[in-house]
Amino acid sequence: MIVLGVFAFGMNPGACLLRDGELVAFGEEERFTRLLGSHGMFPVRATVSCLRQAQIDLGEVDVVAFPWDASKYPYRMLFSIGRQFLKYGVGATRLRGTRRRRGTRRRRGERSGPGNVGSVLRNLLQHSPRRLLAEIRSGLRATGHRGDLPPVEFVPHHLCHAYSAYFSSPFDDALVLTLDGSGEDTCTQLARGSGEDLRVLSETPIPHSLGWYYAAFTAYMGFLPYRHEGKLMALAGLGHERAAHNPWPERLGDVLSFRDGAYEVDPTFTRFGSHSHAERFTDKLVDLVTGHDAALRPLEAMNPRDGARLLQPAYVDLAWGVQRRLEEAVGDLVAGALRESPTPNLCIAGGVGLNCKLNGSLRGQAGIERVFAFPASNDAGSAIGAAMVVARGGGDTIKRELTSTHLGPEFSDAEIHTALSFSRVTFHEPSDIAEEAAKCLAAGKSVGWFQGRMEAGPRALGARSILADPRRPDASDRLNREVKGRETWRPFCPSILAESAEELVRGSDDAGFMSVALPVREAQLSVMEQCRHVDGTTRPQVVRPQVLPRYHALLRHFERETGTPFLVNTSLNLSGEPIVCTPEEALRSFFSSGLDALAIGSFLLEK
């Protein structure tokens, strides 16, 4: 079968293509529109890209798979959500609105009631099968296809995440955990993968969402929820030295509780109630936090003046507590599942599965020896799982270990040369681009690296990367300040030669995609200072020659020049922008930042 998977109209739309069960192309819409997240859109450009890479027309696609079960809308979802409203005491009185506290004024954008009931009802109607099918067909028409459209199949969202993780993993037997904001009426799912089969074990319903829990505190810190959770995770790491005396994990027990392999999130802190500050958390959460420390007021969204306040110990400790409570709750959940269904392997997907600190905390816990976190765990990646479900139903074999995320567009040297010539920039073509780039890095220069097919997921993995010499004591600060233009406390990651990985970090078998935080070996802490966090962990990419031959050659040349078998690696983009896709975008980022050199295809540019 040829199956086109698409996720649309929500966070991070994307598209993929499976041919005879094999994933041949994938792309996130943001890479093509250049709008970070491209939330709410149909992945028209990503779909066209996948079809072009497979060299087929939409008319040759057998089925379009959509990772959302529209059959539950609106009536089953209305029943599920209404039952939760009643359970948490938000009945008719609350539905009419929540009275503001005495002496406060309504802010612009303030919402009353349980997560804005009107928006909930509109969402239920928007996802009805007839309306959703019409919008999907309209999106497919926008690709330019004028013939008959392939049929569309709706697939349960968490099942899609589970399929993408397990059937791409190196395991033939594993516990499969999916965590996100919500998928239909489910927030968390546990499944068991064995051979060619996957069986759902349990589900946690709305409103007990770990994604909503983390998004609430992301917004509380002044970040953008569903976009900047990584900033909260990085901030939490700064509280490592005071962790032993941090009271916040216990204090947050009212918000997120767990016991005997089950957890609950009290939605009156996240979605049900009065929202005087932000949509993602209620005034009750503000009262809880400020009741323990009056200075911990919610920070204004995107206010530059709040950057310094975030580094105050009080906010850092709160962030650490939020992260730790998440790790404890998920650890208890996994331990409970393993008591019933033991296995040494764990697969993770869903938006919360991008939390590499959480993923790393699960290694070695309750008998877990290895963790595979799907590198495109966000909703865009659910399109891959949807296509897998449909392809397997059609008789295709889908169990294939994912060894590379390089599934996007590729540009030939001829195309790159045309872009360079058109831009009238000075460049040259060395005999060996990997060796020449390694010499630039060894000389202390920061280098943009644009090679081969674009990566899937939010982490640069040697196709659209910015690289630096980890021996420089200012490498991290310089990249943050002069190149990326982002917060100075956010850490970078290493790309490591496979031959040397285990000498530097523990558990390098799980380090292919920068999706699991691993402990740096104590003897190497100073060596890896520029690409590890203050808590002694790093999320590495192990580079193998059979997967990324040119990138491996670069690392090998750098090792010969310096004796160091790894590089500092971050994504080739500027702050607030998606990772670059095309040569033109790489040039724009190069000349708009403090980068010293750009290795693009076989060509080298230097400032």
Side-chain angles (χ1 to χ4, degrees):
M1 295 181 70
I2 297 178
V3 183
L4 174 69
V6 295
F7 177 79
F9 315 126
M11 302 289 183
N12 304 111
C16 75
L17 196 77
L18 262 67
R19 178 187 277 131
D20 299 329
E22 181 180 3
L23 179 61
V24 297
F26 171 80
E28 292 144 287
E29 188 68 1
E30 66 169 18
R31 306 290 177 85
F32 306 97
T33 63
R34 308 310 302 158
L35 301 172
L36 189 63
S38 292
H39 302 325
M41 301 177 70
F42 186 89
V44 175
R45 295 161 182 82
T47 298
V48 170
S49 174
C50 289
L51 294 171
R52 285 177 178 170
Q53 289 178 75
Q55 298 182 339
I56 63 170
D57 181 79
L58 184 59
E60 299 175 66
V61 171
D62 294 305
V63 182
V64 174
F66 193 86
W68 205 267
D69 188 0
S71 68
K72 292 186 176 182
Y73 291 81
Y75 302 110
R76 288 170 61 185
M77 287 295 296
L78 184 61
F79 174 77
S80 297
I81 294 176
R83 184 172 55 185
Q84 296 299 331
F85 283 172
L86 295 174
K87 178 180 178 180
Y88 286 94
V90 281
T93 302
R94 289 279 190 148
L95 293 176
R96 288 195 295 268
T98 301
R99 184 177 301 170
R100 294 189 302 281
R101 287 174 293 176
R102 189 179 184 88
T104 63
R105 294 185 302 169
R106 182 180 297 276
R107 303 184 179 200
R108 180 177 297 178
E110 177 182 344
R111 299 186 178 191
S112 297
N116 190 353
V117 175
S119 68
V120 171
L121 295 176
R122 285 193 296 272
N123 180 271
L124 295 179
L125 295 174
Q126 182 179 356
H127 285 86
S128 66
R130 180 178 296 181
R131 179 168 180 175
L132 192 55
L133 184 60
E135 292 185 350
I136 293 171
R137 287 173 172 167
S138 177
L140 293 172
R141 286 293 182 204
T143 66
H145 182 72
R146 295 295 174 262
D148 292 337
L149 292 173
V152 177
E153 288 192 21
F154 297 116
V155 188
H157 188 69
H158 276 265
L159 186 66
C160 296
H161 279 314
Y163 263 63
S164 68
Y166 173 67
F167 287 103
S168 299
S169 77
F171 312 134
D172 289 324
D173 179 80
L175 183 68
V176 186
L177 172 66
T178 64
L179 310 155
D180 65 9
S182 64
E184 302 99 28
D185 54 353
T186 302
C187 298
T188 298
Q189 183 186 85
L190 283 163
R192 182 64 180 261
S194 180
E196 297 289 334
D197 296 316
L198 185 139
R199 176 172 57 91
V200 175
L201 302 176
S202 65
E203 295 179 333
T204 303
I206 282 179
H208 304 291
S209 169
L210 295 171
W212 292 359
Y213 160 81
Y214 213 79
F217 286 99
T218 299
Y220 200 100
M221 298 291 183
F223 302 135
L224 293 177
Y226 281 50
R227 185 175 295 177
H228 291 162
E229 275 75 0
K231 296 185 179 185
L232 175 59
M233 180 180 67
L235 184 67
L238 300 181
H240 173 71
E241 293 182 355
R242 296 185 299 275
H245 307 289
N246 191 318
W248 279 109
E250 183 178 353
R251 290 173 178 174
L252 295 174
D254 290 341
V255 184
L256 171 57
S257 60
F258 58 88
R259 182 180 179 184
D260 297 332
Y263 78 89
E264 288 188 2
V265 175
D266 186 339
T268 61
F269 290 100
T270 58
R271 304 303 295 271
F272 294 174
S274 180
H275 298 257
S276 300
H277 299 272
E279 181 182 8
R280 288 288 167 179
F281 61 88
T282 65
D283 294 347
K284 185 177 178 181
L285 182 65
V286 180
D287 292 340
L288 172 72
V289 175
T290 57
H292 290 288
D293 188 338
L296 282 173
R297 301 292 302 171
L299 301 183
E300 297 179 34
M302 304 304 291
N303 187 341
R305 292 174 299 177
D306 285 337
R309 290 181 62 189
L310 274 172
L311 294 177
Q312 295 176 3
Y315 282 99
V316 170
D317 289 347
L318 174 59
W320 189 91
V322 170
Q323 174 70 27
R324 181 59 178 168
R325 191 67 183 178
L326 174 71
E327 294 173 6
E328 291 173 343
V330 176
D332 184 75
L333 178 69
V334 169
L338 291 175
R339 285 194 292 269
E340 301 293 328
S341 185
T343 175
N345 304 316
L346 176 65
C347 299
I348 301 175
V352 182
L354 293 174
N355 190 311
C356 61
K357 290 287 294 174
L358 166 65
N359 300 339
S361 73
L362 296 172
R363 292 186 77 256
Q365 183 167 308
I368 291 295
E369 297 175 6
R370 294 196 59 191
V371 173
F372 174 78
F374 188 60
S377 283
N378 60 12
D379 280 345
S382 69
I384 297 174
M388 286 179 167
V389 173
V390 172
R392 181 171 179 266
D396 289 341
T397 299
I398 60 171
K399 188 75 174 77
R400 304 167 193 266
E401 181 181 353
L402 183 71
T403 58
S404 171
T405 64
H406 298 73
L407 298 162
E410 183 175 13
F411 299 87
S412 67
D413 275 348
E415 291 173 306
I416 293 172
H417 190 278
T418 298
L420 296 173
S421 300
F422 178 81
S423 300
R424 300 181 182 180
V425 298
T426 301
F427 63 94
H428 71 282
E429 183 176 2
S431 58
D432 187 335
I433 186 64
E435 182 177 13
E436 195 72 14
K439 290 179 179 178
C440 289
L441 288 161
K445 296 181 179 180
S446 57
V447 177
W449 181 258
F450 183 101
Q451 305 289 336
R453 298 181 72 181
M454 181 178 66
E455 306 98 328
R459 276 108 195 200
L461 297 168
R464 307 288 189 271
S465 290
I466 290 173
L467 307 172
D469 182 352
R471 300 172 306 156
R472 286 191 57 150
D474 64 343
S476 179
D477 287 342
R478 184 175 176 229
L479 286 179
N480 273 325
R481 184 179 65 253
E482 299 179 9
V483 179
K484 298 288 286 186
R486 66 178 201 174
E487 296 86 356
T488 57
W489 38 266
R490 293 174 64 185
F492 292 101
C493 309
S495 290
I496 308 174
L497 284 169
E499 301 89 321
S500 303
E502 198 59 32
E503 300 172 12
L504 298 170
V505 298
R506 296 198 300 270
S508 62
D509 286 346
D510 296 332
F513 305 115
M514 291 185 180
S515 56
V516 180
L518 299 172
V520 176
R521 293 194 180 277
E522 188 171 352
Q524 306 294 340
L525 287 172
S526 60
V527 174
M528 299 192 70
E529 184 175 1
Q530 296 302 306
C531 48
R532 66 168 176 85
H533 216 333
V534 294
D535 63 0
T537 64
T538 187
R539 57 174 197 226
Q541 175 199 11
V542 171
V543 181
R544 295 177 170 83
Q546 63 270 31
V547 177
L548 290 171
R550 181 172 274 187
Y551 196 40
H552 185 273
L554 169 70
L555 288 163
R556 179 61 78 192
H557 283 301
F558 184 75
E559 183 185 38
R560 289 170 184 161
E561 291 279 339
T562 66
T564 302
F566 64 97
L567 287 166
V568 179
N569 175 15
T570 186
S571 55
L572 181 51
N573 66 308
L574 304 182
S575 179
E577 296 183 354
I579 298 175
V580 305
C581 175
T582 68
E584 291 82 0
E585 291 155 10
L587 286 171
R588 177 178 173 273
S589 291
F590 176 59
F591 285 108
S592 299
S593 71
L595 271 172
D596 299 309
L598 175 65
I600 179 168
S602 296
F603 310 103
L604 184 69
L605 292 74
E606 294 185 76
K607 291 177 183 171

